[in-house]
Amino acid sequence: MRKYFLFFTFLFFLTGTRAYAQEKVALSQLNLRLMTTGYGTVKAHRSIDNRPLSLQGKSYEQGVGTHADSRIIVSLEKRGVRFTALAGVDDEASPKGSVVFKITADDKVVYTSPVMHKGDKPEKIDINLKEVNRLVLEALSGNDGINNDHADWVNAVFEMREGKPVALPDAKLIEVSTKDILLTLAIDKDNNLMQQYIGKKGGLDVVFARSEQRDQAYPTIQSSSRFVYWGEPALHVVHSDGHTSTQLKYVNHETVQLDDHVTQTRITLKDPNYPFYTDLFYKAYNKQNVLEQWTVIYHEEQADVLVKEAASAAITLHARDYWLTQFTGDWANEFGMDEYPLTAGSKVLENKWGITSANGRQPHFMVSLDGKSSETEGEILAGTLAWSGNFRLQFERSLSGQLTVLAGMNPWSADYTLPAGKKYATPSFIYTYSLHGKGEASRNFHRWALAYGIRDGQTLLRTIFNNWEATGMNTADHTIIPFLKPAHDLGFELFLLDDGWFGLKNKARVLGEWEATPIMHPQGMQPLITAARQTGIDFGLWVEMEMANPDARLVTEHPEWLLTEPNRPQHLQRGQYVLDLANPEVQDFCIRSFNKILSDYPDISFVKWDCNSPFHNPYSHYLGNKQQHLWYEYTLGLYRVFTQCVQANPRLQMMLCSAGGARCDYGAMRFFHEFWTSDNTTPLKRVFIQWGASHVFPAKIHGAHVTHMGRQPFKFAFDVAMSGCLGMDADPTQMTGEEKKITLRALEVYKNRLRPVVQLGDLYRLVSPYENSRSVVSYVNEDKNQAVVFVYQVNDYTEGIKVRLQGLNPEKSYRLEEVNIDSPATAACRENGKTLSGKTLMEDGIYFDCKKRFDSASLYFIAVR
């Protein structure tokens, strides 16, 4: 019996020891990047000067070398048992070195050494860690300066009951995060707000992998013992006393939950010498992995403050091989793509046109942090400015590899006089971070846009028939009414009457006169609208509310409403003035005129809002001596007009246009359902334009119309246009039988099968026309039950192409059907009609016999099991 008792006692002791085994973790094993030091870099197992650790003539193999003033915070979460160490001044120091070692447990000082010098006997430390949440180890100067205060923690070990100690930053952290992205801001001991990290969501080991960063979250030019910043500032103001220097210190912050998936964080900063405040706002869209950032500036100084520069956001990156993707172009050549490495110095993308935000350079970009990226590989920061006026994107790279990205309104000629009590708000900067190339970044933007960034994002848009390419400004009833029934019979759901319907009694097409001209429409618009209703097709109208022609009555009655420079020759692009939307009276005129059209003709269900001239004569009679406010106030006025028009007509579908795609930004798109991507409707060119646009905007909002421009094959034209929001510009009475057959076929398949997948699905750019002789894109709906693939041959090639799909469910089986073809015998896809697994489609791919220029294919997939 005694043998059994001893056996079970031994077994209990053995298992009990295992259950309560204590783990020893050396201080040197912690993230020493989070230990502050007054000089040099903290070393594991070496002194601060990178020599063997040595105290009182004895060398030690294990420990940490640092320098006063030094501090590390360790999280224990009440799981610690003991902390033991030897502490002293390293023998490498001069006799002047003096250090006091101090340990604090949960804000209570539990150990303080005497003032120690080189050669003193090391202090033995043994601290009970029971019930301790947080331990702070400090090596402080002996009150005679920090010269030669070389401090060593030797054989420093934490005994843990369970778990491991974790080093914490010596700063208060503010986290702005989504499902996969984390932006961490740190408030240091001097209340400076720093950007510590941006990237993949992770713990403190990830956030502080590069140690404590000294990058201002909102940079101003300043110098201190902790950091120096001489780059382009995010904020530059002249205070009321003429001082041009600003320092921003943390005051407070709050985070609120706006809905189940969106949080908003406000951080208030203040200059300690002035009643001058800056609020940084961060909105995090959890499901879409998108961040939105903007800034609000205000003050209570004795006189006005001059705002010379105020960025919406400043993002700092740390890498070695940056590549910038920018979007460039001009009229009929929008959304071209240029990719190149960023070298040391500053790269600026900007616009100074005033109201057109995308001519020449566009307010969107992608930056790769690890060399030239692809659709599926590469670490990417992608951003777009939600602003319909002058913008500036600046990429400033230092010789050390740091890249600062500033995004906001263009400060050129835009000094803003800010009185006390008034707030100056910047536009929003929308950005995302991808670890899987440009494709993921684009999908993040698209999902965000459909959920938050555009009007009625989840509503399918109608197919449009437009008269512009057929009749130009001839909108006469007898010309247009014959179009209505053929357009309806071809399958179109809405007829859009373009430019030319308005004006005076004796002159058509007079901008600023928003009544139907009797020259075109003797009985007003009602006969056209009635004819459309009787035909069964909806009716829409073109407007350009921001402009006026010289013959408009308001030009003589209200010359102060026009942007015109005094005593200078006036340049009128397209013979039209730009109205001064900085003036509230002009805003009211535009709102009143627009709403009257809709109240006079309530059956109008669609409006195309155009804008065809930038500021050629930038002078506001309303602003007087504050002309530099024009660029800012005009855009705010424009947004007020949009807001009032949408509120008065909530069910009205609206397209945004500006000489093609010159106003394509999320500042305006929150009021609109789609934008006119380009006046260039040549199908081949549209392949490239829509490829570029897809990097920022979902296919749903790409106005994509089939026309006879370029005289390219009609099937090819429809295959291209069906990858966006499908429409047509043509004379339906002059179309050939073959063209009508293709149109009927394409409209039927687009409306009944492709439209929900294209307009609401996830985009995958599979083959780039910039790198190959063809372009391939696909769309997959949210539940992965349907997909569409479009193949476009842009140049001749000797062979067809095998395409491996992305985004499908590998466990599902999909039936393949090539659509928009005469018969299965003419299919370009060899696997047409087959049922294949998602795994096969993604790993093995499918083959298309597209070789000649203008060959194309549209392939529809539906899950069958």
Side-chain angles (χ1 to χ4, degrees), residues 246-306:
T246 300
Q247 294 188 12
L248 297 174
K249 302 292 184 178
Y250 169 84
V251 177
N252 57 50
H253 78 280
E254 69 170 351
T255 298
V256 295
Q257 192 82 32
L258 300 182
D259 65 28
D260 291 343
H261 306 291
V262 183
T263 61
Q264 180 174 293
T265 299
R266 175 201 46 79
I267 305 172
T268 297
L269 309 175
K270 179 185 179 297
D271 190 307
N273 294 346
Y274 298 93
F276 179 88
Y277 301 87
T278 300
D279 286 350
L280 305 182
F281 287 87
Y282 300 83
K283 193 179 286 187
Y285 299 88
N286 184 62
K287 289 178 65 176
Q288 294 79 21
N289 284 318
V290 165
L291 301 178
E292 179 180 357
Q293 188 173 338
W294 71 97
T295 304
V296 176
I297 298 165
Y298 53 101
H299 71 91
E300 296 297 337
E301 297 189 25
Q302 295 298 312
D304 295 342
V305 168
L306 187 65

Side-chain angles (χ1 to χ4, degrees), residues 12 38 41 87 104-105 115 277 357 402 451 494 512 517 617 634 743 795:
F12 174 83
T41 303
T104 304
V115 178
Y277 301 87
S357 61
Q402 174 180 302
L494 183 142
T517 175
N617 312 285
Y634 184 101
T743 303
N795 283 304

Side-chain angles (χ1 to χ4, degrees), residues 366-642:
M366 291 187 174
V367 170
S368 170
L369 280 66
D370 46 6
K372 188 175 182 180
S373 61
S374 70
E375 285 295 314
T376 57
E377 295 181 346
E379 196 167 350
I380 299 285
L381 173 72
T384 179
L385 189 70
W387 186 243
S388 305
N390 291 352
F391 69 86
R392 185 177 69 175
L393 305 173
Q394 180 161 338
F395 308 86
E396 189 168 14
R397 179 176 180 174
S398 69
L399 291 172
S400 64
Q402 174 180 302
L403 180 68
T404 301
V405 180
L406 291 176
M409 293 177 289
N410 196 331
W412 171 78
S413 190
D415 289 357
Y416 195 90
T417 303
L418 184 65
K422 182 178 179 179
K423 293 189 174 182
Y424 179 85
T426 72
S428 290
F429 176 56
I430 315 294
Y431 58 105
T432 186
Y433 203 96
S434 166
L435 291 174
H436 304 290
K438 290 181 281 192
E440 181 179 80
S442 295
R443 287 187 290 277
N444 290 346
F445 276 148
H446 298 172
R447 293 163 184 161
W448 171 83
L450 294 173
Y452 299 99
I454 61 175
R455 275 185 69 195
D456 304 327
Q458 295 301 314
T459 301
L460 295 178
L461 300 184
R462 291 168 288 180
T463 53
I464 299 170
F465 195 97
N466 193 340
N467 67 289
W468 176 254
E469 293 291 336
T471 71
M473 295 182 187
N474 178 7
T475 65
D477 292 347
H478 62 83
T479 300
I480 299 301
I481 288 176
F483 283 23
L484 298 176
K485 188 176 188 307
H488 168 269
D489 292 347
L490 287 170
F492 290 97
E493 297 155 313
L494 183 142
F495 184 88
L496 171 60
L497 186 68
D498 216 288
D499 191 352
W501 60 270
F502 48 89
L504 298 167
K505 290 182 179 180
N506 60 350
K507 187 171 184 179
R509 213 273 173 189
V510 179
L511 296 169
E513 298 290 344
W514 295 109
E515 298 283 348
T517 175
I519 296 174
M520 295 289 179
H521 310 288
Q523 301 176 57
M525 303 303 299
Q526 197 57 53
L528 264 179
I529 296 171
T530 299
R533 183 174 63 248
Q534 292 173 347
T535 301
I537 194 168
D538 296 338
F539 189 82
L541 209 58
W542 177 100
V543 299
E544 191 173 8
M545 308 306 298
E546 301 161 64
M547 306 291 160
N549 289 126
D551 290 327
R553 287 170 294 173
L554 70 84
V555 172
T556 54
E557 294 173 2
H558 293 285
E560 75 280 6
W561 285 8
L562 311 176
L563 289 182
T564 53
E565 293 183 86
N567 304 315
R568 294 186 189 275
Q570 303 301 312
H571 173 71
L572 304 185
Q573 180 170 316
R574 289 169 51 110
Q576 58 196 55
Y577 291 99
V578 180
L579 298 183
D580 180 10
L581 289 191
N583 186 336
E585 289 186 4
V586 179
Q587 299 167 24
D588 291 341
F589 167 78
C590 292
I591 295 166
R592 188 168 58 249
S593 300
F594 182 84
N595 288 339
K596 186 177 185 302
I597 296 170
L598 276 299
S599 62
D600 287 349
Y601 303 108
D603 286 337
I604 293 174
S605 62
F606 182 97
V607 164
K608 177 182 178 182
W609 185 297
D610 210 342
C611 169
N612 285 296
S613 177
F615 293 2
H616 286 295
N617 312 285
Y619 184 90
S620 166
H621 298 272
Y622 171 77
L623 292 174
N625 63 1
K626 292 185 171 60
Q627 290 303 308
Q628 292 191 324
H629 290 200
L630 174 60
W631 316 98
Y632 180 68
E633 296 291 354
Y634 184 101
T635 307
L636 294 186
L638 175 68
Y639 290 162
R640 177 176 174 256
V641 171
F642 286 163

Side-chain angles (χ1 to χ4, degrees), residues 685-859:
K685 186 60 182 177
R686 272 304 188 104
V687 169
F688 290 86
I689 291 173
Q690 291 169 205
W691 177 274
S694 73
H695 283 71
V696 184
F697 300 105
K700 176 186 174 181
I701 64 176
H702 302 182
H705 288 198
V706 173
T707 73
H708 289 93
M709 184 180 287
R711 294 293 172 181
Q712 294 171 5
F714 235 46
K715 178 191 181 305
F716 181 75
F718 265 103
D719 283 342
V720 171
M722 287 193 298
S723 68
C725 188
L726 178 63
M728 189 176 200
D729 280 53
D731 182 344
T733 67
Q734 299 299 314
M735 291 170 60
T736 67
E738 179 67 15
E739 289 172 341
K740 291 179 180 179
K741 182 184 75 172
I742 294 171
T743 303
L744 281 163
R745 183 178 71 200
L747 263 292
E748 187 277 330
V749 72
Y750 181 81
K751 291 191 298 182
N752 294 325
R753 284 183 280 182
L754 307 191
R755 176 162 54 183
V757 186
V758 171
Q759 292 193 10
L760 304 180
D762 280 338
L763 165 71
Y764 295 87
R765 292 183 294 266
L766 304 178
V767 179
S768 170
Y770 283 93
E771 300 171 358
N772 299 273
S773 60
R774 68 264 294 184
S775 173
V776 183
V777 296
S778 73
Y779 300 87
V780 181
N781 72 347
E782 186 176 9
D783 61 13
K784 300 183 184 300
N785 283 334
Q786 298 177 77
V788 181
V789 173
F790 296 103
V791 180
Y792 311 122
Q793 194 72 28
V794 298
N795 283 304
D796 291 345
Y797 197 69
T798 56
E799 299 176 355
I801 183 173
K802 175 170 280 192
V803 177
R804 292 177 176 84
L805 275 66
Q806 299 173 24
L808 301 176
N809 185 334
E811 305 301 321
K812 290 183 177 182
S813 294
Y814 297 87
R815 184 173 66 245
L816 284 60
E817 180 185 358
E818 187 166 340
V819 295
N820 197 26
I821 53 176
D822 289 329
S823 69
T826 62
C829 179
R830 291 182 181 177
E831 290 80 6
N832 182 40
K834 293 184 178 180
T835 297
L836 301 173
S837 70
K839 183 174 185 294
T840 298
L841 290 166
M842 292 189 290
E843 293 181 359
D844 297 339
I846 50 180
Y847 191 86
F848 292 88
D849 282 312
C850 293
K851 301 174 185 177
K852 294 182 179 180
R853 195 180 200 189
F854 305 130
D855 282 352
S856 61
S858 299
L859 196 64

Side-chain angles (χ1 to χ4, degrees), residues 12-28:
F12 174 83
F13 176 79
L14 181 63
T15 57
T17 300
R18 287 179 179 173
Y20 297 96
Q22 295 174 358
E23 183 176 0
K24 292 185 177 182
V25 180
L27 175 63
S28 58

